[in-house]
Amino acid sequence: MNTPSAARPPTRPPTVGIIYPDHAAEDEYPTAAERLGVHLPLEHVYGTDLHAVPELLELGAPDRLAAGARRLVARVTPGGLDALMWACTSASFVYGHEGVRRQAEQLAAAAGVPAASTSQAFVAALAALGIERVAVAASYPAEVAQLFADFLLASGVRVEALGSAGITTAAQVGTLTAEQVMDLAVRADRDSAGGVLIPDTALHTLGVVEGLEGRLGKPVLTANQVTIWHGLRLAGTAVTAAPGWGALFAQAP
């Protein structure tokens, strides 16, 4: 669902619920919430963290996500949520272009607020920046990375290059250093790409966006970055500029 939330009371900060799989890089959300002056309450859903198609389909199953949404709604402070994000790229795009849309609609119905996934957030961010050709620096195995490329193509985005680190679990992805993340992006980039996408929410990336953009000379979009940005847009709030978080957050009014 892409319709922004209705107006909230002026005394309450924007509140975007985050459903996050297992544990890896979820610490980027409270960091972002403090800096932006918003509320990003987290609710974890659990399953295998394998980057393999059957396991990803199970992780993103409607019943699992709806249960997470209901738990989050039940514990959020009075006033509730303004929007909800499924902070997982692979367990959304694995369902294909139409499946991603249905997944978001089911989440919105469960939570009673606008909802989207990280996969949709990437497409929205690319549109906002006017980028049509990208290089993808994926941590996933090649089979899963290709499904992300297929989703982007179905969304009208041309993939100029597709890099795959071949990492099989989110837990391992969460241990990558900033230098390793930067190397992944640099190796995937191509001159013909207008931007570089780093699609895994298990990666710590907020701290490397500025350095990567300076090195590559183009916008870099990362999973947790676009999830936060798009969630705030769905919540109907102006996104605060955040120097150091790249071209996407420099777009804020």
Side-chain angles (χ1 to χ4, degrees):
M1 176 181 282
N2 295 314
T3 304
S5 178
R8 66 184 174 280
T11 57
R12 180 171 65 78
T15 301
V16 178
I18 305 294
I19 299 180
Y20 190 93
D22 294 284
H23 297 275
E26 70 269 30
D27 55 315
E28 294 203 320
Y29 290 93
T31 298
E34 182 176 1
R35 180 172 184 185
L36 298 174
V38 300
H39 190 205
L40 301 174
L42 277 158
E43 180 66 38
H44 293 274
V45 294
Y46 295 97
T48 177
D49 74 341
L50 283 175
H51 285 151
V53 172
E55 286 78 8
L56 291 170
L57 289 170
E58 180 184 352
L59 182 62
D63 290 349
R64 185 189 304 272
L65 297 188
R70 288 192 293 268
R71 291 194 302 270
L72 187 53
V73 168
R75 69 176 175 80
V76 169
T77 54
L81 300 176
D82 298 309
L84 180 68
M85 293 298 297
W86 169 219
C88 186
T89 324
S90 56
S92 50
F93 69 68
V94 72
Y95 281 87
H97 188 263
E98 285 303 304
V100 166
R101 179 186 58 80
R102 288 193 299 271
Q103 186 184 63
E105 289 176 349
Q106 290 162 349
L107 264 178
V113 295
S117 66
T118 305
S119 293
Q120 293 172 306
F122 271 111
V123 174
L126 289 169
L129 294 174
I131 297 171
E132 297 178 348
R133 298 177 178 226
V134 301
V136 175
S139 55
Y140 318 123
E143 177 188 18
V144 176
Q146 183 60 53
L147 292 177
F148 184 50
D150 294 344
F151 167 77
L152 292 172
L153 179 61
S155 302
V157 179
R158 180 168 173 174
V159 178
E160 298 290 297
L162 178 61
S164 167
I167 301 174
T168 57
T169 69
Q172 184 180 354
V173 170
T175 68
L176 296 184
T177 65
E179 290 75 17
Q180 289 172 311
V181 174
M182 293 187 74
D183 181 63
L184 182 67
V186 169
R187 286 189 286 111
D189 186 32
R190 296 293 184 275
D191 290 342
S192 58
V196 175
L197 310 189
I198 306 177
D200 199 337
T201 59
L203 280 169
H204 289 88
T205 55
L206 288 181
V208 304
V209 173
E210 183 177 38
L212 270 174
E213 290 193 346
R215 184 168 178 179
L216 299 177
K218 63 186 66 175
V220 174
L221 299 177
T222 74
N224 292 326
Q225 171 210 42
V226 300
T227 299
I228 295 162
W229 175 85
H230 191 51
L232 290 172
R233 280 166 47 102
L234 284 184
T237 186
V239 180
T240 302
W245 287 359
L248 184 63
F249 274 87
Q251 294 291 303

